[in-house]
Amino acid sequence: MSGDDMMAPLIRSRGEVPVSDGGSMLVGILGTGDFSRSLARRLMASGYHVVVGSRTPQRSKTLFPDGAEVTTQMEAASQADLVFVAVFPEHYSTLLELKQPLAGKTLVDVSNGVRLNQDGPSNGERLAELFPESSVVKGFNTVSAWTLQTGPRDGSRQVFLCSDSNKAKRAVTQICRSMGFVPVDMGLLSSSLEVENLPLYLFPSWRLPILCTLLLFVIFYLYNFLRDVLHPYVTAGKSVFYKMPVDTVNVTLPSVALVMLSLVYVPGLCAAFLQLRRGTKYSRFPDWLDRWLARRKQLGLCSFLCAALHAIYSLSLPMRKSARFKLINAALRQVKEGLGDAWVDEEVWRMELYVSVGIMALGLLSLLAVASLPSVANAVNWREFSFIQSTLGYCALSTATLHTLLFGWDRAFDAAQYRFNLPPTFMLVVLLPCGVLLGRVALALPCAALRLRRIRRGSDDNRRIRFKLPEDNRLNGTEDISHV
Ligand code: NAP
């Protein structure tokens, strides 16, 4: 860029000639709403001439910066080289009179879908049907008017584009780059339904992990409520319902965290055992296992959230009035009964170890959570990533399990802990992580580890590779392609 270019103002005042790559292109925008106004500003800042088409140009003129020409829809469509349609799709049919001036030009459809799972055709395909002599490009719908106004540095930079015309797509790609966005080619216009749906998704990969977390929370909460709150009330008429908001939640959260963390490692073990049994890595995993493997990051982050909440709840336990009253009452009883020193060495050691190991587990979990952020994950190579997520992950699981075992100490052998004949929660929650850790140890045995490594390097026990064709397409049951 020359020094003159650097001196040029980003937004010209009325009548000034733009200086940039886009300087020679006149970009039209139909509609004068929020999106149109932001787009006009960004286009002008990138050096394009802009002409805006409105049903009421006189009224809309004041809404646009000086350099933009606001005129009738017909004028704008006739003058522009390329036109953005910033009008809701319900009103596309009102633009039909522009068919002639728009013939041979590129139309950019920026509209979003109304709801997910809507059957086609998409808005983009409908626009292409209405204007068969124009080339429709779908794009910019994932960029908000706000992002356009503030510039791509303060929002998503990706712009998904698709079109049946490569020439039209190239022109829009160029505009997209000039405005500082990153174009992503999504192929033909048939992908436009998917592109229109992109802004409508609500954390699709989080649905199952969040459901799983909530379900486990409800189950463990009810279990703890039954044992710790209802049992004393039923058996001794003692009301400890005050425990419900803090105490019961605080024993529920670590249970959910530990089970969720184990669920991160179960699918990896299933996959490894399946490969050992099949003797090949070239058979597809069942769909449920595929989906589970793809959700490990979300499961891990849900586990981290529960563990972090457990730490905060635990730190605030002494702040509660109930804890203070209990402490004072215990001290008064101690004095009244002349019991003297309340120090119990074993209890002290149990607590010191329990807290220390818990802090370590939370530290390791935080490391895993940070390493799962895309910006961090992109900065490490595959070996480093797998070391963090697998080796350190198993360390976190072992530490969290040890934390729970230390909490239990020898209480598993105390008959009083089996209220309503139900085992204590800590006993239930260590079952899955212990199973996972044992499974991992089994896979580390040389016989299993060597065979698994051979399989993952391409060794195949089944000499003849057989592919199953879909039901309706099958020739003779299975098709033998071992000769290929
Ligand atoms: P808007 O503020 O309601 O503006 C729509 C414009 O369409 C109106 O200002 C109107 O301008 C024009 N229009 C033309 N024919 C019309 C008719 N028959 N009836 C009503 N209006 C008519 O909407 P918007 O937020 O700018 O959104 C426009 C398009 O951009 C939509 O398809 C939307 O999905 C898409 N989009 C918007 C955003 C966003 O952040 N707002 C983000 C991504 C995509 P005149 O009265 O001057 O003709």
Side-chain angles (χ1 to χ4, degrees):
M1 192 183 266
S2 69
D4 289 347
D5 287 342
M6 294 292 285
M7 298 299 286
L10 284 180
I11 297 182
R12 288 170 294 126
S13 53
R14 194 180 277 280
E16 233 178 278
V17 182
V19 186
S20 101
D21 322 332
S24 55
M25 187 187 265
L26 180 60
V27 179
I29 307 175
L30 294 176
T32 55
D34 296 338
F35 192 84
S36 166
R37 290 197 296 275
S38 307
L39 179 65
R41 280 176 193 279
R42 184 79 5 227
L43 281 167
M44 289 169 69
S46 308
Y48 288 95
H49 297 265
V50 173
V51 56
V52 181
S54 168
R55 293 168 303 167
T56 51
Q58 285 310 321
R59 211 181 59 193
S60 312
K61 221 167 219 158
T62 50
L63 302 171
F64 286 82
D66 284 349
E69 186 188 343
V70 182
T71 179
T72 60
Q73 290 180 335
M74 184 59 82
E75 259 309 282
S78 311
Q79 285 180 28
D81 302 308
L82 177 148
V83 177
F84 281 85
V85 185
V87 169
F88 277 102
E90 303 87 283
H91 308 307
Y92 283 172
S93 53
T94 65
L95 305 175
L96 276 174
E97 61 184 33
L98 309 175
K99 218 173 196 169
Q100 190 54 38
L102 290 175
K105 293 181 182 172
T106 297
L107 295 185
V108 187
D109 172 41
V110 300
S111 66
N112 281 318
V114 180
R115 60 187 160 83
L116 270 174
N117 305 324
Q118 198 174 312
D119 288 335
S122 66
N123 300 334
E125 286 169 320
R126 276 185 43 229
L127 189 68
E129 258 172 48
L130 290 173
F131 295 88
E133 286 166 52
S134 310
S135 307
V136 172
V137 177
K138 175 91 221 174
F140 283 92
N141 58 309
T142 51
V143 180
S144 68
W146 165 255
T147 306
L148 280 168
Q149 227 171 62
T150 54
R153 70 187 170 281
D154 207 17
S156 167
R157 284 169 56 85
Q158 288 187 326
V159 171
F160 301 91
L161 299 174
C162 64
S163 172
D164 289 342
S165 158
N166 277 335
K167 192 172 159 224
K169 195 157 51 178
R170 266 200 305 277
V172 181
T173 301
Q174 179 55 41
I175 294 179
C176 190
R177 285 212 180 93
S178 319
M179 291 201 285
F181 291 102
V182 179
V184 180
D185 191 340
M186 296 289 284
L188 299 176
L189 197 63
S190 49
S191 314
S192 52
L193 195 62
E194 174 64 18
V195 176
E196 282 166 16
N197 281 339
L198 285 174
L200 303 180
Y201 289 126
L202 186 70
F203 305 118
S205 54
W206 282 90
R207 209 164 297 153
L208 217 68
I210 289 176
L211 256 174
C212 194
T213 310
L214 289 178
L215 196 72
L216 283 172
F217 186 87
V218 171
I219 292 172
F220 280 120
Y221 186 88
L222 289 178
Y223 192 80
N224 290 323
F225 172 77
L226 210 69
R227 282 176 38 84
D228 302 340
V229 180
L230 211 59
H231 183 267
Y233 185 71
V234 171
T235 54
K238 201 169 152 194
S239 168
V240 286
F241 288 94
Y242 72 89
K243 286 186 172 183
M244 287 172 66
V246 179
D247 260 324
T248 315
V249 171
N250 193 34
V251 284
T252 302
L253 283 170
S255 312
V256 180
L258 189 56
V259 174
M260 290 296 286
L261 188 60
S262 313
L263 290 180
V264 173
Y265 296 97
V266 172
L269 288 181
C270 290
F273 282 116
L274 214 58
Q275 285 177 337
L276 281 173
R277 205 177 123 215
R278 290 172 171 175
T280 177
K281 68 168 184 175
Y282 296 113
S283 299
R284 275 192 58 79
F285 292 137
D287 279 350
W288 60 265
L289 185 54
D290 260 345
R291 277 202 297 274
W292 195 350
L293 283 163
R295 299 285 178 273
R296 285 178 294 178
K297 172 177 157 179
Q298 287 79 1
L299 290 168
L301 286 174
C302 286
S303 161
F304 171 65
L305 173 71
C306 293
L309 287 176
H310 168 55
I312 297 169
Y313 267 94
S314 301
L315 285 176
S316 56
L317 286 182
M319 278 185 227
R320 295 167 312 148
K321 277 269 184 261
S322 58
R324 289 186 205 169
F325 289 146
K326 266 188 182 174
L327 198 68
I328 295 169
N329 286 345
L332 287 175
R333 204 177 313 124
Q334 198 83 3
V335 173
K336 203 165 140 193
E337 293 172 11
L339 294 174
D341 194 354
W343 186 276
V344 181
D345 229 15
E346 187 187 324
E347 276 297 297
V348 170
W349 270 102
R350 182 183 79 85
M351 207 54 181
E352 302 290 306
L353 290 171
Y354 166 72
V355 170
S356 172
V357 174
I359 293 170
M360 298 246 188
L362 185 63
L364 286 168
L365 274 179
S366 316
L367 195 69
L368 296 179
V370 171
S372 73
L373 295 173
S375 54
V376 179
N378 288 343
V380 294
N381 65 27
W382 172 245
R383 197 169 170 207
E384 289 160 347
F385 182 77
S386 111
F387 171 78
I388 294 172
Q389 295 300 345
S390 178
T391 313
L392 289 188
Y394 270 105
C395 287
L397 183 64
S398 315
T399 321
T401 310
L402 184 60
H403 175 65
T404 313
L405 288 172
L406 284 167
F407 174 80
W409 203 249
D410 59 356
R411 280 186 281 181
F413 308 106
D414 179 1
Q417 291 292 324
Y418 293 78
R419 298 168 205 153
F420 286 137
N421 290 324
L422 295 172
T425 319
F426 67 82
M427 271 184 74
L428 289 184
V429 297
V430 291
L431 291 179
L432 187 61
C434 285
V436 171
L437 292 171
L438 283 176
R440 186 69 196 88
V441 170
L443 284 179
L445 295 176
C447 53
L450 285 175
R451 184 167 143 75
L452 194 60
R453 195 181 306 161
R454 261 205 318 274
I455 289 170
R456 287 186 173 168
R457 279 175 167 263
S459 153
D460 193 341
D461 285 1
N462 318 316
R463 287 191 157 185
R464 289 154 74 85
I465 305 168
R466 297 168 83 86
F467 286 113
K468 255 186 163 179
L469 287 175
E471 220 46 53
D472 53 345
N473 207 1
R474 213 180 281 174
L475 299 174
N476 275 327
T478 51
E479 182 84 333
D480 188 355
I481 55 135
S482 53
H483 60 284
V484 177

